[in-house]
Amino acid sequence: MKRFVFLCWLMALCLWPSSLEAKVKMPQLFQSGMVLQREKPIPIWGKADAGEQVTVTFRKKRYTTTADVNGRWRVDLPKQKAGGPYTLTINDVTVDDVLIGDVWLLSGQSNIDVTIERVYPQYVDEIDHFNNNQIRLFRVQNETNTHGVQDDIRPTNINWKPLTKQNAWLFSAVGTFLGIRQFQETGVPQGIIVNSWGGTPIEAWISADSLQRDYPMLVEKTKLYQSDDYVRAQARANQLADQRWNELLDAKDPGLSEHFANLEYDDSAWPVVSQWEDSWAKKNGRGIVGSIWLRQHITIDKAHAGKPARLLLGTLFDADRTFLNGKEIGRTYYQYPPRRYDIPEGLLREGDNVITIRFINKYGIAHFIPEKPYLLAFGEDRFSQNPMPQDIIRLSEQWKHHAGAEMPSCPSGDVSLQNLPTTLYNAVLHPLAPYALSGVVWYQGESNTGNPAPYGDYLKKLMGCWRDRWQNQQMPFVIVQLANHDGRQQTGFPSPITTQTEPVNSGWAALREQQRQAAAADPRAELACIIDLGETVDIHPLRKKEVAERIGLCFDKLVFNKKVKLSPEVVSTTVTGTHVQLTLDQPVQEGDLYTFELADEGHVFHNVYAISKGNVITLLNFAFTPTAIRYAWKDSPVEANVRGLNGLPMVPFELKLK
């Protein structure tokens, strides 16, 4: 009997420390420095041992619940006014420096990803003075899941960070500027959650349940990748193929063995080519796969010799390694980032210097992107958009050219799981709910321009399944309509930039129309029109502060019920003889208007003259019975000029006429 009692006591003793060590587990969003949503119930949730009592303490009040049989628990704090910092305690877990304010979720693809570092030259002085502890930034780490929804996002050491230049440097520019704008408007703390992934289609962000009925093959497509062994094997094979391709390229490239980049290298026999020609980038009529070398000599005067500088090489297709006087000063692995390469003090010498670019292409045609800066900048303002003229040395458009190494195409099998339907909803969207939000920004669509027809339905399903997940059918969405961009400039050698003047079929315009219709059909959605903020040659336009301002205006109306005028939109149409009148929801700037088109009886579109007065636009002088009207129906409708009195551009559209 004594032995039995002793064993029971010993077992209890062994179990006792583990019971003390049992802790509640909080989602990754619940970190010190977090921002909780004001004026709404605040869900606090997590995991614990089944049946464990959980006590949440906040602002001297305690709330108690018990974990269910699966260890899940949740407490909803009552509505709170803006303020802080406070401390949130859940059993023995403490979360410090908690603010109450507004929380915004920004999602989509690479235009949400574009960082403060990328746009820095546009807003140098403002970014240099970033310092606001009331604005907190949180970046969801990229992850995919082909099997189904998961409970939490991937752990990160980034957590919630206050707004400083350093903390924002690699954070979303749209998100950062939205936080600043909303703080200036409201004076309350702002939490910015960025959850985006460059190049991803909208289908990746929609739940399987939402897609299953109308698009079952999309769900089946993802099931093909539910073999983790296959995915790992294919990813490893792609990695090895890429590694081997680069090894062979380097081994046979004469530029490396003969040191083409060195200043002392004799390039006198190299032919001179223009960077705007394609002869140096093609062979037998096709783009060269492999490497190509270009060199340019540049003379540095005594005043600038030895000084630190920045080399701007615009944007290049596709990858490059760039050298100055034989020293590598930068490399970029794909086409989109601007080439801004810093030159350390002492490297530039008085007199002759040489810039060498080694292009590396696995597909397409190597080329320089037009309408970008190609120069050397000196001085303290060399990082800005407009350095002082005396501190600029512009590069020549003429380069010396030498072939590198030709290569076969690099073999690969696509295992980009982030582009598969449902994978991002499963891994990085589902786990965020039910974190209380003020609103959602959706800035995506570039990856769907090849097949725009179903986009509106996809967008409806996305907003629906996200609202279902949050159990909030009133959750506001701001949809950022695609900016102007000329998709012809992507992979081929760029022809001279010519404005499209005649009516064309445009996947970009068709997708914008799907965005417009989806927003118009949803009373809790607004469209942020940025048709004038794009760049013809850059899919990642840099004016992100202006984008954030227009998003903020939409939230002023949606969330704060302010009487604001957004972009002008058509509310009715009238056809009378050879006139079509469009009545708008507001007056617009008066004058001659461009990029209006009318369709004839055969649905062939024709350019028509248009003029505005007050809130009416009149289309004139056509000799057919019009059946439809389009405005700004181009990839990059740079001539579109209808603006409200507030300066905002009119939303591009297509409408049928009775």
Side-chain angles (χ1 to χ4, degrees), residues 30 36-38 40-44 58 75-80 100 436:
F30 289 84
L36 298 174
Q37 178 61 45
R38 62 170 169 154
K40 293 183 180 180
I42 302 173
I44 309 293
F58 187 66
V75 167
D76 285 358
L77 303 182
K79 297 178 182 180
Q80 307 282 329
I100 305 292

Side-chain angles (χ1 to χ4, degrees), residues 18 125 236 291 293 341 398 400 407 432 441 475 485 494 542 586 601 616 644 650:
S18 63
D125 185 64
R236 178 60 176 161
S291 62
W293 293 80
Y341 296 147
Q398 307 299 312
K400 293 196 168 189
M407 290 287 292
L432 300 184
V441 177
M475 183 156 62
H485 168 68
L542 301 182
Q586 59 187 283
E601 299 89 334
V616 175
M650 185 164 78

Side-chain angles (χ1 to χ4, degrees), residues 500-511:
Q500 291 177 320
T501 56
E502 295 304 310
V504 295
N505 291 322
S506 164
W508 284 70
L511 192 131

Side-chain angles (χ1 to χ4, degrees), residues 376-545:
L376 269 174
F378 297 85
E380 292 299 321
D381 60 349
R382 65 185 181 275
F383 303 105
S384 72
Q385 187 77 0
N386 299 298
M388 298 295 290
Q390 64 268 25
D391 286 329
I392 292 176
I393 300 176
R394 299 195 180 278
L395 301 186
S396 169
E397 296 178 359
Q398 307 299 312
W399 295 78
K400 293 196 168 189
H401 163 258
H402 197 291
E406 288 189 63
M407 290 287 292
S409 298
C410 182
S412 67
D414 184 15
V415 289
S416 300
L417 300 183
Q418 73 274 15
N419 295 329
L420 293 174
T422 77
T423 56
L424 297 182
Y425 176 89
N426 292 342
V428 294
L429 192 283
H430 183 273
L432 300 184
Y435 200 89
L437 304 173
S438 196
V440 177
V441 177
W442 178 251
Y443 188 175
Q444 188 276 341
E446 298 90 341
S447 290
N448 289 87
T449 54
N451 180 27
Y455 191 86
D457 191 41
Y458 289 158
L459 191 48
K460 178 181 177 181
K461 292 182 185 301
L462 179 139
M463 291 188 288
C465 71
W466 288 26
R467 286 169 174 153
D468 287 345
R469 176 63 187 136
W470 263 265
Q471 297 181 328
N472 178 10
Q473 297 306 310
Q474 300 303 310
M475 183 156 62
F477 275 80
V478 171
I479 301 162
V480 183
Q481 195 181 44
L482 292 187
N484 49 305
H485 168 68
D486 193 335
R488 297 175 295 174
Q489 304 298 322
Q490 288 308 108
T491 59
F493 199 93
S495 56
I497 302 300
T498 56
T499 301
Q500 291 177 320
T501 56
E502 295 304 310
V504 295
N505 291 322
S506 164
W508 284 70
L511 192 131
R512 291 187 195 109
E513 177 64 7
Q514 293 288 314
Q515 292 174 315
R516 184 189 72 83
Q517 291 184 18
D522 191 317
R524 296 298 295 159
E526 287 290 348
L527 189 72
C529 178
I530 60 169
I531 195 63
D532 59 329
L533 297 180
E535 296 183 34
T536 300
V537 297
D538 197 336
I539 203 170
H540 303 118
L542 301 182
R543 295 169 64 187
K544 299 305 188 196
K545 180 180 179 180

Side-chain angles (χ1 to χ4, degrees), residues 73-338:
W73 59 268
R74 172 175 167 173
V75 167
D76 285 358
L77 303 182
K79 297 178 182 180
Q80 307 282 329
K81 292 184 177 180
Y86 304 116
T87 297
L88 174 69
T89 303
I90 308 94
N91 283 15
D92 51 0
V93 175
T94 299
V95 181
D96 294 315
D97 192 22
V98 177
L99 300 179
I100 305 292
D102 292 327
V103 183
W104 311 96
L105 172 62
L106 287 78
S107 193
Q109 56 180 110
S110 54
N111 270 301
I112 285 288
D113 280 341
V114 167
T115 61
I116 285 293
E117 183 273 335
R118 180 82 69 87
V119 306
Y120 179 65
Q122 302 284 126
Y123 316 102
V124 170
D125 185 64
E126 181 172 358
I127 293 172
D128 282 344
H129 291 89
F130 277 177
N131 187 22
N132 191 331
N133 189 48
Q134 296 290 293
I135 301 171
R136 307 288 175 83
L137 314 174
F138 187 96
R139 181 63 166 92
V140 176
Q141 298 302 293
N142 289 344
E143 188 176 13
T144 62
N145 194 320
T146 60
H147 298 277
V149 297
Q150 59 192 53
D151 290 333
D152 202 1
I153 56 177
R154 185 157 63 89
T156 173
N157 293 323
I158 298 176
N159 303 329
W160 291 90
K161 297 291 187 181
L163 174 62
T164 65
K165 178 181 177 181
Q166 180 180 1
N167 290 339
W169 194 243
L170 297 180
F171 192 78
S172 163
V174 172
T176 301
F177 284 120
L178 180 63
I180 294 169
R181 192 264 184 196
Q182 295 304 94
F183 179 78
Q184 292 171 343
E185 289 290 319
T186 66
V188 306
Q190 300 293 312
I192 303 296
I193 302 172
V194 169
N195 185 21
S196 55
W197 195 326
T200 54
I202 190 173
E203 303 95 301
W205 298 91
I206 304 174
S207 69
D209 288 345
S210 298
L211 291 173
Q212 182 62 52
R213 188 186 69 177
D214 297 321
Y215 306 99
M217 285 301 100
L218 293 181
V219 180
E220 292 300 310
K221 180 180 179 181
T222 301
K223 290 180 181 178
L224 294 173
Y225 292 84
Q226 287 181 341
S227 169
D228 294 338
D229 289 341
Y230 164 71
V231 171
R232 280 192 295 267
Q234 188 62 64
R236 178 60 176 161
N238 290 345
Q239 180 185 20
L240 292 172
D242 185 73
Q243 178 181 321
R244 184 59 179 157
W245 191 91
N246 284 291
E247 289 172 352
L248 292 173
L249 174 69
D250 290 352
K252 66 186 295 190
D253 191 336
L256 296 178
S257 57
E258 298 176 28
H259 306 291
F260 284 178
N262 285 359
L263 177 62
E264 299 78 14
Y265 179 84
D266 182 7
D267 60 13
S268 58
W270 286 26
V272 176
V273 298
S274 167
Q275 69 186 43
W276 305 124
E277 298 173 354
D278 64 358
S279 58
W280 57 270
K282 296 171 71 174
K283 184 175 181 180
N284 298 326
R286 303 186 66 180
I288 294 171
V289 174
S291 62
I292 303 170
W293 293 80
L294 297 180
R295 280 169 60 98
Q296 178 171 150
H297 290 265
I298 190 165
T299 301
I300 301 299
D301 59 26
K302 184 176 181 179
H304 292 102
K307 299 290 180 63
R310 171 167 274 203
L311 174 64
L312 302 184
L313 280 176
T315 307
L316 308 176
F317 184 92
D318 183 45
D320 74 283
R321 291 178 62 189
T322 297
F323 306 83
L324 178 69
N325 296 339
K327 179 180 176 60
E328 183 175 326
I329 57 172
R331 65 172 69 187
T332 305
Y333 295 96
Y334 64 110
Q335 70 182 95
Y336 293 119

